[in-house]
Short mmCIF file of all heavy atoms in Angstrom, two decimals:
data_model
loop_
_atom_site.label_atom_id
_atom_site.label_comp_id
_atom_site.label_asym_id
_atom_site.label_seq_id
_atom_site.Cartn_x
_atom_site.Cartn_y
_atom_site.Cartn_z
N ALA A 4 24.65 -2.58 -8.15
CA ALA A 4 23.93 -3.23 -9.24
C ALA A 4 22.55 -2.62 -9.43
O ALA A 4 22.12 -2.38 -10.56
CB ALA A 4 23.81 -4.73 -8.96
N THR A 5 21.87 -2.33 -8.34
CA THR A 5 20.55 -1.69 -8.43
C THR A 5 20.68 -0.32 -9.07
O THR A 5 19.90 0.04 -9.95
CB THR A 5 19.91 -1.57 -7.03
OG1 THR A 5 19.79 -2.87 -6.46
CG2 THR A 5 18.54 -0.93 -7.11
N HIS A 6 21.67 0.43 -8.64
CA HIS A 6 21.89 1.77 -9.19
C HIS A 6 22.17 1.69 -10.69
O HIS A 6 21.64 2.48 -11.49
CB HIS A 6 23.03 2.47 -8.46
CG HIS A 6 23.26 3.86 -8.92
ND1 HIS A 6 24.46 4.27 -9.44
CD2 HIS A 6 22.43 4.93 -8.99
CE1 HIS A 6 24.37 5.54 -9.79
NE2 HIS A 6 23.15 5.97 -9.54
N LEU A 7 22.99 0.73 -11.11
CA LEU A 7 23.29 0.57 -12.53
C LEU A 7 22.04 0.24 -13.34
O LEU A 7 21.83 0.78 -14.43
CB LEU A 7 24.35 -0.52 -12.73
CG LEU A 7 25.77 -0.14 -12.35
CD1 LEU A 7 26.70 -1.34 -12.46
CD2 LEU A 7 26.27 1.00 -13.24
N ARG A 8 21.19 -0.64 -12.81
CA ARG A 8 19.95 -0.98 -13.51
C ARG A 8 19.03 0.23 -13.63
O ARG A 8 18.36 0.41 -14.63
CB ARG A 8 19.23 -2.13 -12.80
CG ARG A 8 19.83 -3.49 -13.07
CD ARG A 8 18.94 -4.61 -12.58
NE ARG A 8 18.83 -4.67 -11.14
CZ ARG A 8 19.65 -5.30 -10.34
NH1 ARG A 8 20.68 -5.95 -10.82
NH2 ARG A 8 19.45 -5.30 -9.04
N LEU A 9 19.00 1.07 -12.60
CA LEU A 9 18.12 2.23 -12.61
C LEU A 9 18.62 3.34 -13.53
O LEU A 9 17.83 4.17 -13.98
CB LEU A 9 17.94 2.76 -11.18
CG LEU A 9 17.19 1.83 -10.24
CD1 LEU A 9 17.21 2.38 -8.83
CD2 LEU A 9 15.77 1.59 -10.71
N ARG A 10 19.91 3.35 -13.82
CA ARG A 10 20.48 4.40 -14.69
C ARG A 10 19.86 4.39 -16.08
O ARG A 10 19.77 5.42 -16.73
CB ARG A 10 21.99 4.25 -14.79
CG ARG A 10 22.68 4.75 -13.54
CD ARG A 10 24.17 4.64 -13.59
NE ARG A 10 24.75 5.13 -14.83
CZ ARG A 10 25.98 4.84 -15.22
NH1 ARG A 10 26.75 4.10 -14.46
NH2 ARG A 10 26.46 5.31 -16.34
N ARG A 11 19.39 3.23 -16.55
CA ARG A 11 18.81 3.18 -17.90
C ARG A 11 17.51 3.96 -18.00
O ARG A 11 17.03 4.24 -19.08
CB ARG A 11 18.61 1.73 -18.33
CG ARG A 11 17.58 1.00 -17.53
CD ARG A 11 17.46 -0.43 -17.98
NE ARG A 11 16.99 -1.22 -16.86
CZ ARG A 11 16.62 -2.45 -16.96
NH1 ARG A 11 16.67 -3.07 -18.11
NH2 ARG A 11 16.20 -3.09 -15.90
N PHE A 12 16.95 4.36 -16.86
CA PHE A 12 15.71 5.15 -16.86
C PHE A 12 15.99 6.63 -16.64
O PHE A 12 15.07 7.41 -16.40
CB PHE A 12 14.78 4.66 -15.75
CG PHE A 12 14.33 3.24 -15.93
CD1 PHE A 12 14.84 2.24 -15.13
CD2 PHE A 12 13.40 2.92 -16.91
CE1 PHE A 12 14.44 0.92 -15.31
CE2 PHE A 12 12.99 1.61 -17.09
CZ PHE A 12 13.51 0.60 -16.29
N SER A 13 17.24 7.04 -16.76
CA SER A 13 17.60 8.42 -16.43
C SER A 13 16.85 9.45 -17.27
O SER A 13 16.60 10.55 -16.82
CB SER A 13 19.11 8.62 -16.54
OG SER A 13 19.51 8.39 -17.88
N GLY A 14 16.45 9.12 -18.48
CA GLY A 14 15.75 10.07 -19.32
C GLY A 14 14.24 10.04 -19.17
O GLY A 14 13.53 10.80 -19.83
N VAL A 15 13.74 9.18 -18.31
CA VAL A 15 12.29 9.04 -18.14
C VAL A 15 11.81 10.05 -17.10
O VAL A 15 12.25 10.02 -15.95
CB VAL A 15 11.90 7.61 -17.70
CG1 VAL A 15 10.41 7.50 -17.49
CG2 VAL A 15 12.39 6.60 -18.72
N ALA A 16 10.93 10.93 -17.52
CA ALA A 16 10.38 11.92 -16.58
C ALA A 16 9.27 11.29 -15.76
O ALA A 16 8.63 10.33 -16.20
CB ALA A 16 9.84 13.11 -17.36
N ASN A 17 9.05 11.80 -14.58
CA ASN A 17 7.94 11.39 -13.73
C ASN A 17 7.96 9.89 -13.40
O ASN A 17 6.93 9.23 -13.45
CB ASN A 17 6.61 11.78 -14.38
CG ASN A 17 5.48 11.76 -13.36
OD1 ASN A 17 5.72 11.94 -12.18
ND2 ASN A 17 4.28 11.55 -13.82
N LEU A 18 9.11 9.38 -13.11
CA LEU A 18 9.25 7.98 -12.75
C LEU A 18 9.44 7.87 -11.24
O LEU A 18 10.24 8.61 -10.66
CB LEU A 18 10.46 7.36 -13.46
CG LEU A 18 10.81 5.92 -13.09
CD1 LEU A 18 9.76 4.97 -13.64
CD2 LEU A 18 12.18 5.56 -13.63
N ALA A 19 8.70 6.97 -10.62
CA ALA A 19 8.89 6.69 -9.19
C ALA A 19 9.35 5.25 -9.06
O ALA A 19 8.84 4.36 -9.74
CB ALA A 19 7.59 6.91 -8.42
N ILE A 20 10.31 5.03 -8.20
CA ILE A 20 10.88 3.70 -7.99
C ILE A 20 10.39 3.20 -6.65
O ILE A 20 10.72 3.78 -5.61
CB ILE A 20 12.41 3.76 -8.03
CG1 ILE A 20 12.87 4.35 -9.37
CG2 ILE A 20 13.01 2.40 -7.79
CD1 ILE A 20 14.28 4.86 -9.36
N GLU A 21 9.61 2.14 -6.67
CA GLU A 21 9.03 1.63 -5.44
C GLU A 21 9.91 0.53 -4.86
O GLU A 21 10.18 -0.47 -5.52
CB GLU A 21 7.63 1.08 -5.72
CG GLU A 21 6.92 0.59 -4.48
CD GLU A 21 5.50 0.16 -4.75
OE1 GLU A 21 4.74 0.96 -5.33
OE2 GLU A 21 5.15 -0.98 -4.39
N GLN A 22 10.32 0.74 -3.63
CA GLN A 22 11.05 -0.24 -2.83
C GLN A 22 12.13 -0.97 -3.64
O GLN A 22 12.02 -2.16 -3.89
CB GLN A 22 10.06 -1.25 -2.23
CG GLN A 22 10.62 -2.06 -1.10
CD GLN A 22 11.01 -1.24 0.11
OE1 GLN A 22 10.31 -0.35 0.52
NE2 GLN A 22 12.15 -1.53 0.67
N PRO A 23 13.21 -0.27 -4.03
CA PRO A 23 14.22 -0.88 -4.90
C PRO A 23 15.15 -1.88 -4.20
O PRO A 23 15.98 -2.50 -4.87
CB PRO A 23 15.00 0.33 -5.40
CG PRO A 23 14.87 1.33 -4.31
CD PRO A 23 13.49 1.13 -3.76
N VAL A 24 15.05 -2.01 -2.90
CA VAL A 24 15.89 -2.95 -2.15
C VAL A 24 15.00 -3.77 -1.22
O VAL A 24 13.82 -3.48 -1.06
CB VAL A 24 16.98 -2.21 -1.32
CG1 VAL A 24 17.96 -1.48 -2.24
CG2 VAL A 24 16.35 -1.23 -0.34
N MET A 25 15.57 -4.77 -0.58
CA MET A 25 14.81 -5.60 0.36
C MET A 25 14.27 -4.73 1.49
O MET A 25 14.91 -3.75 1.89
CB MET A 25 15.68 -6.72 0.92
CG MET A 25 16.13 -7.73 -0.13
SD MET A 25 14.77 -8.56 -0.98
CE MET A 25 14.11 -9.56 0.35
N TYR A 26 13.14 -5.10 2.05
CA TYR A 26 12.44 -4.29 3.05
C TYR A 26 13.31 -3.95 4.26
O TYR A 26 13.15 -2.90 4.87
CB TYR A 26 11.15 -4.98 3.50
CG TYR A 26 11.37 -6.17 4.40
CD1 TYR A 26 11.37 -6.02 5.78
CD2 TYR A 26 11.57 -7.43 3.88
CE1 TYR A 26 11.59 -7.11 6.61
CE2 TYR A 26 11.78 -8.52 4.69
CZ TYR A 26 11.78 -8.35 6.06
OH TYR A 26 12.00 -9.42 6.88
N TYR A 27 14.23 -4.82 4.62
CA TYR A 27 15.03 -4.62 5.83
C TYR A 27 16.28 -3.76 5.58
O TYR A 27 16.94 -3.35 6.52
CB TYR A 27 15.44 -5.97 6.42
CG TYR A 27 16.11 -6.88 5.43
CD1 TYR A 27 17.45 -6.74 5.10
CD2 TYR A 27 15.38 -7.88 4.80
CE1 TYR A 27 18.05 -7.56 4.17
CE2 TYR A 27 15.97 -8.71 3.86
CZ TYR A 27 17.31 -8.55 3.56
OH TYR A 27 17.90 -9.36 2.63
N ASP A 28 16.58 -3.46 4.32
CA ASP A 28 17.80 -2.74 3.98
C ASP A 28 17.54 -1.23 3.95
O ASP A 28 17.51 -0.60 2.89
CB ASP A 28 18.34 -3.23 2.64
CG ASP A 28 19.70 -2.65 2.30
OD1 ASP A 28 20.25 -1.89 3.12
OD2 ASP A 28 20.20 -2.95 1.19
N LEU A 29 17.38 -0.63 5.11
CA LEU A 29 17.07 0.80 5.18
C LEU A 29 18.24 1.67 4.71
O LEU A 29 18.02 2.69 4.07
CB LEU A 29 16.64 1.18 6.60
CG LEU A 29 15.38 0.50 7.12
CD1 LEU A 29 15.02 1.02 8.50
CD2 LEU A 29 14.22 0.65 6.16
N ASN A 30 19.45 1.26 5.02
CA ASN A 30 20.60 2.02 4.55
C ASN A 30 20.70 1.97 3.03
O ASN A 30 21.02 2.98 2.39
CB ASN A 30 21.90 1.53 5.20
CG ASN A 30 21.96 1.89 6.67
OD1 ASN A 30 21.43 2.92 7.09
ND2 ASN A 30 22.59 1.04 7.46
N GLY A 31 20.42 0.82 2.46
CA GLY A 31 20.41 0.69 1.00
C GLY A 31 19.31 1.55 0.38
O GLY A 31 19.51 2.16 -0.67
N LEU A 32 18.16 1.60 1.02
CA LEU A 32 17.05 2.43 0.55
C LEU A 32 17.47 3.90 0.52
O LEU A 32 17.24 4.60 -0.47
CB LEU A 32 15.84 2.23 1.46
CG LEU A 32 14.52 2.87 1.06
CD1 LEU A 32 14.03 2.32 -0.28
CD2 LEU A 32 13.47 2.62 2.13
N ALA A 33 18.11 4.34 1.58
CA ALA A 33 18.59 5.72 1.65
C ALA A 33 19.66 5.98 0.58
O ALA A 33 19.67 7.05 -0.05
CB ALA A 33 19.15 6.02 3.04
N ALA A 34 20.54 5.02 0.37
CA ALA A 34 21.62 5.19 -0.62
C ALA A 34 21.05 5.31 -2.04
O ALA A 34 21.49 6.16 -2.82
CB ALA A 34 22.60 4.02 -0.54
N ILE A 35 20.07 4.48 -2.37
CA ILE A 35 19.45 4.56 -3.69
C ILE A 35 18.75 5.90 -3.86
O ILE A 35 18.84 6.55 -4.91
CB ILE A 35 18.45 3.40 -3.91
CG1 ILE A 35 19.18 2.07 -4.00
CG2 ILE A 35 17.57 3.64 -5.13
CD1 ILE A 35 20.00 1.87 -5.26
N THR A 36 18.05 6.36 -2.82
CA THR A 36 17.36 7.65 -2.89
C THR A 36 18.34 8.77 -3.20
O THR A 36 18.04 9.66 -4.00
CB THR A 36 16.62 7.94 -1.57
OG1 THR A 36 15.68 6.88 -1.34
CG2 THR A 36 15.89 9.26 -1.61
N GLN A 37 19.53 8.72 -2.59
CA GLN A 37 20.53 9.76 -2.83
C GLN A 37 21.19 9.62 -4.20
O GLN A 37 21.64 10.60 -4.77
CB GLN A 37 21.61 9.70 -1.73
CG GLN A 37 21.10 10.06 -0.36
CD GLN A 37 20.51 11.46 -0.33
OE1 GLN A 37 21.10 12.41 -0.81
NE2 GLN A 37 19.32 11.59 0.25
N ALA A 38 21.23 8.39 -4.73
CA ALA A 38 22.00 8.13 -5.94
C ALA A 38 21.22 8.34 -7.25
O ALA A 38 21.84 8.54 -8.29
CB ALA A 38 22.54 6.70 -5.91
N VAL A 39 19.91 8.27 -7.22
CA VAL A 39 19.15 8.37 -8.47
C VAL A 39 18.35 9.66 -8.52
O VAL A 39 17.97 10.20 -7.47
CB VAL A 39 18.21 7.14 -8.65
CG1 VAL A 39 19.01 5.85 -8.70
CG2 VAL A 39 17.15 7.08 -7.57
N PRO A 40 18.09 10.15 -9.73
CA PRO A 40 17.33 11.40 -9.84
C PRO A 40 15.82 11.22 -9.69
O PRO A 40 15.09 12.19 -9.61
CB PRO A 40 17.67 11.86 -11.27
CG PRO A 40 17.94 10.60 -12.02
CD PRO A 40 18.58 9.67 -11.02
N HIS A 41 15.38 9.99 -9.65
CA HIS A 41 13.95 9.71 -9.58
C HIS A 41 13.44 9.68 -8.14
O HIS A 41 14.23 9.52 -7.21
CB HIS A 41 13.64 8.36 -10.24
CG HIS A 41 14.20 8.25 -11.61
ND1 HIS A 41 13.78 9.04 -12.66
CD2 HIS A 41 15.18 7.46 -12.12
CE1 HIS A 41 14.45 8.72 -13.75
NE2 HIS A 41 15.32 7.78 -13.44
N LYS A 42 12.15 9.78 -7.98
CA LYS A 42 11.54 9.65 -6.66
C LYS A 42 11.60 8.20 -6.23
O LYS A 42 11.30 7.29 -7.00
CB LYS A 42 10.08 10.11 -6.70
CG LYS A 42 9.91 11.54 -7.12
CD LYS A 42 9.29 12.33 -6.01
CE LYS A 42 9.05 13.76 -6.44
NZ LYS A 42 10.08 14.67 -6.05
N VAL A 43 11.98 7.97 -4.98
CA VAL A 43 12.02 6.63 -4.41
C VAL A 43 10.92 6.54 -3.37
O VAL A 43 10.76 7.42 -2.52
CB VAL A 43 13.40 6.31 -3.80
CG1 VAL A 43 13.40 4.95 -3.11
CG2 VAL A 43 14.48 6.36 -4.88
#
Side-chain angles (χ1 to χ4, degrees):
T5 302
H6 183 239
L7 286 174
R8 282 191 292 274
L9 294 174
R10 283 181 47 197
R11 66 182 153 171
F12 297 106
S13 62
V15 178
N17 198 26
L18 175 70
I20 303 162
E21 183 175 307
Q22 196 63 43
V24 295
M25 295 300 292
Y26 74 93
Y27 52 81
D28 187 2
L29 298 183
N30 289 328
L32 187 62
I35 292 290
T36 301
Q37 294 301 313
V39 299
H41 308 295
K42 300 243 183 263
V43 175

